[in-house]
Amino acid sequence: MEHFDIKSDKAAGFINQQEIIRILSYAKEHCLEKNLALEILKKAEQMQGLSAEETAVLLLNQDEQLTDQIFTLATKIKNAYYGNRVVLFAPLYLSNYCVNGCTYCPYHASNHNIPRLKMSQEQIKAEVIALQDMGHKRLALEAGEHPLYNPLSYILESIETIYSIHHQSGSIRRVNVNIAATTVENYKLLQAAKIGTYILFQETYNQKQYEKLHPHGPKANYAYHTEAMDRAMSAGIEDVGLGVLFGLHNYAYELVALLLHAKHLETKFGAGPHTISVPRLRPADGINVQNFPDALPDDLFLKIVALLRIAVPYTGIIMSTRETETIRKKSLKLGVSQISGGSKTSVGGYTANDEQTEESAQFETADNRSLDEIVGWLMQLGYIPSFCTACYGKGRQGIDFMKICKEQQIHNFCAPNALLTLEEYLQNYASSKTRYIGSMLFNAETSKLPEVQKKILFSRIKDAKNGSVKFF
Ligand code: SAM
């Protein structure tokens, strides 16, 4: 039997079942000790993170006053590390052909109920232009796993197509990729194709449950899936994104394992995950959420978002349109730093609205507002919507990014950069109502900048308007 070792190359070593059970029983035993909880909170106030064990104690303590304190601290940490900027992106579904058997996903191979679609490069071009017309600059590519229909060569060709499209005033500047676990050789090819973040959700960290939910197909191999980020990082991909599909297994188990995974990557590669996504199970074709007994209620979900912000302050937290406007609003305050907007989870959904396309969707979204509405909403809440990809463009990735972020410096880069890209959005894509809200926010935010930064910002906006430099 494998022993717990955070540096281990083996899933059974760094996501060690005995260690997770030990942490959870320690937390259960001690969570009611008020002094211990307050001591942990005090440590968290230093904004350097918490261990999985400390986080589990706070999670299992259900005292309402403590939860309020956790939420207040999470907001404080969010502001210190990220300020009021929120990064925006959209998913792009390339193909829903899949050989796997994931029982919670309608793309599983034995579902003959949904149309199977795969976009040609021409269709991808049209979709990307539609996304660019909305104002998007950052995409997350999504595809089922199918060696014949969606081989890596197809993904690579699609990335090349996307980066090559220069439409009107700009282009897609960062392509993140969410595709199945693959080999070191393939990760090297993805790295060479200049992807942004490689995202792979663990779904569940509990091996037994994982194997039950993934009865066949390549994804059935728990260790291969769990060790994917090690392969990706050893292949040179600096930014990786973790995530659990909440609702598949016990939330406390998942949070502890997720934090061990983050710690493992940080210890082994010097940089923890660039992002953590917090997807929750959604209704989909043939998928009834009621049949999953571990469905996560809103209050606990929000507490998990806040605890992630406290436990890994320098890691971005991503929330998709799986969540409602209300939950997204609350989560932004507690720690979420990136959200998607105007999303379609169908293959070809940005250009076609026929029945076939709609039926190819992966799951039902809960926030169906347009990107313009979301940008306007964010600004009314006092956030700076950001389309910035400067860190990626300037090679501030992996360890370099983490170093700046841990020193709480990223904020200094981000505020002017976010405003620059917001101005780009307002001028080129926004409705008149959103532009009006934006001009007020822009003025208020620029007045907060130090004089030097303000000068640079205005001269860059002028240059961008003259076409002499790009926004990024
Ligand atoms: N095929 C890739 C893989 O195996 O990782 C890409 C994954 S898929 C396009 C993106 C994610 O959607 C999955 O990792 C899963 O967590 C999530 N997902 C699947 N079914 C879902 C559902 N019913 N509700 C919410 N999210 C779901």
Side-chain angles (χ1 to χ4, degrees):
M1 193 194 294
E2 199 80 31
H3 290 291
F4 173 60
D5 174 7
I6 203 76
K7 274 194 171 163
S8 172
D9 292 333
K10 300 257 184 301
F14 62 88
I15 303 293
N16 184 270
Q17 167 96 356
Q18 276 74 37
E19 176 65 3
I20 297 169
I21 290 171
R22 185 199 66 74
I23 291 175
L24 288 174
S25 23
Y26 169 85
K28 245 181 233 158
E29 204 180 314
H30 296 279
C31 67
L32 294 179
E33 294 169 22
K34 202 168 175 190
N35 283 346
L36 176 66
L38 292 178
E39 220 173 87
I40 296 172
L41 263 188
K42 199 149 188 229
K43 180 181 170 197
E45 270 167 26
Q46 289 163 18
M47 305 195 191
Q48 301 302 313
L50 289 179
S51 68
E53 193 172 87
E54 291 160 338
T55 312
V57 170
L58 296 185
L59 177 66
L60 298 191
N61 182 318
Q62 284 164 13
D63 181 77
E64 273 179 30
Q65 217 183 342
L66 180 77
T67 304
D68 286 347
Q69 284 172 287
I70 292 171
F71 282 14
T72 307
L73 180 59
T75 302
K76 194 170 155 198
I77 295 178
K78 158 95 196 278
N79 290 337
Y81 277 90
Y82 296 90
N84 58 346
R85 74 190 168 87
V86 177
V87 170
L88 287 156
F89 74 98
L92 177 61
Y93 281 75
L94 297 179
S95 164
N96 65 357
Y97 282 94
C98 195
V99 291
N100 286 313
C102 319
T103 54
Y104 49 86
C105 177
Y107 289 177
H108 68 81
S110 46
N111 185 6
H112 302 296
N113 227 3
I114 57 165
R116 297 291 169 166
L117 303 174
K118 170 190 171 179
M119 287 201 284
S120 67
Q121 298 305 309
E122 278 313 303
Q123 281 173 299
I124 292 174
K125 256 189 202 165
E127 287 273 296
V128 170
I129 287 173
L131 282 156
Q132 287 193 23
D133 282 339
M134 287 160 70
H136 276 296
K137 302 292 176 193
R138 185 188 279 253
L139 300 183
L141 290 197
E142 309 278 343
E145 180 170 14
H146 199 297
L148 290 179
Y149 285 101
N150 321 328
L152 193 79
S153 54
Y154 169 68
I155 306 291
L156 295 171
E157 192 187 359
S158 306
I159 296 169
E160 203 181 331
T161 299
I162 295 167
Y163 278 135
S164 75
I165 302 165
H166 300 287
H167 172 62
Q168 291 188 357
S169 56
S171 50
I172 296 296
R173 301 189 284 241
R174 180 170 175 131
V175 178
N176 297 332
V177 173
N178 181 0
I179 59 163
T182 185
T183 60
V184 172
E185 287 65 36
N186 283 348
Y187 286 127
K188 283 185 182 160
L189 294 171
L190 284 167
Q191 166 67 6
K194 296 193 167 28
I195 65 164
T197 310
Y198 172 66
I199 298 168
L200 181 69
F201 300 157
Q202 178 63 30
E203 320 301 7
T204 173
Y205 281 98
N206 182 279
Q207 183 165 358
K208 233 183 181 172
Q209 180 70 343
Y210 183 96
E211 285 165 357
K212 193 172 146 206
L213 296 170
H214 304 94
H216 55 80
K219 195 165 167 177
N221 187 335
Y222 172 83
Y224 189 75
H225 189 82
T226 312
E227 291 157 12
M229 293 314 191
D230 291 64
R231 292 195 298 282
M233 290 187 93
S234 59
I237 295 182
E238 291 183 80
D239 290 347
V240 298
L242 303 181
V244 153
L245 184 54
F246 285 104
L248 298 183
H249 187 60
N250 173 270
Y251 64 91
Y253 190 102
E254 304 290 30
L255 182 63
V256 166
L258 185 58
L259 292 175
L260 289 178
H261 198 177
K263 188 78 194 160
H264 163 71
L265 297 178
E266 188 182 4
T267 315
K268 195 167 161 195
F269 296 98
H274 186 67
T275 56
I276 290 180
S277 298
V278 287
R280 264 198 300 183
L281 193 64
R282 293 285 301 152
D285 183 81
I287 314 296
N288 185 350
V289 180
Q290 314 289 324
N291 296 337
F292 291 80
D294 286 306
L296 186 59
D298 290 350
D299 53 346
L300 275 172
F301 182 57
L302 292 170
K303 189 169 177 187
I304 286 176
V305 171
L307 285 173
L308 280 172
R309 179 42 64 239
I310 288 175
V312 280
Y314 42 84
T315 300
I317 302 181
I318 302 182
M319 183 167 279
S320 72
T321 55
R322 288 175 182 87
E323 298 301 331
T324 59
E325 175 181 334
T326 311
I327 292 290
R328 296 204 323 155
K329 181 177 166 187
K330 290 182 180 166
S331 307
L332 281 167
K333 200 168 166 211
L334 297 176
V336 164
S337 53
Q338 290 193 29
I339 62 170
S340 46
S343 307
K344 298 283 179 198
T345 67
S346 49
V347 180
Y350 295 107
T351 48
N353 53 4
D354 56 281
E355 210 172 298
Q356 242 217 344
T357 306
E358 245 165 61
E359 286 173 359
S360 75
Q362 196 188 15
F363 50 81
E364 289 172 20
T365 50
D367 184 347
N368 296 313
R369 291 171 296 165
S370 68
L371 180 64
D372 185 70
E373 286 171 310
I374 286 181
V375 169
W377 169 74
L378 284 173
M379 295 191 298
Q380 276 171 328
L381 294 175
Y383 293 108
I384 308 176
S386 171
F387 295 88
C388 185
T389 53
C391 286
Y392 168 70
K394 294 206 168 17
R396 285 196 295 267
Q397 283 182 278
I399 296 176
D400 292 341
F401 176 85
M402 284 299 163
K403 199 168 162 277
I404 306 170
C405 200
K406 281 182 181 173
E407 288 162 4
Q408 292 173 42
Q409 291 291 322
I410 206 74
H411 194 20
N412 294 339
F413 290 97
C414 284
N417 285 344
L419 285 169
L420 184 65
T421 60
L422 174 63
E423 180 65 6
E424 175 190 30
Y425 176 85
L426 294 175
Q427 299 214 1
N428 296 321
Y429 310 104
S431 63
S432 51
K433 183 178 165 204
T434 303
R435 198 173 303 135
Y436 176 70
I437 304 169
S439 64
M440 291 196 294
L441 180 95
F442 186 85
N443 291 340
E445 290 297 327
T446 44
S447 70
K448 292 185 203 161
L449 291 177
E451 222 34 59
V452 188
Q453 282 192 356
K454 212 188 293 179
K455 257 193 182 152
I456 299 175
L457 173 64
F458 283 119
S459 103
R460 289 181 71 184
I461 289 176
K462 203 167 138 210
D463 289 346
K465 276 187 194 160
N466 294 338
S468 56
V469 289
K470 284 191 190 149
F471 279 92
F472 278 109

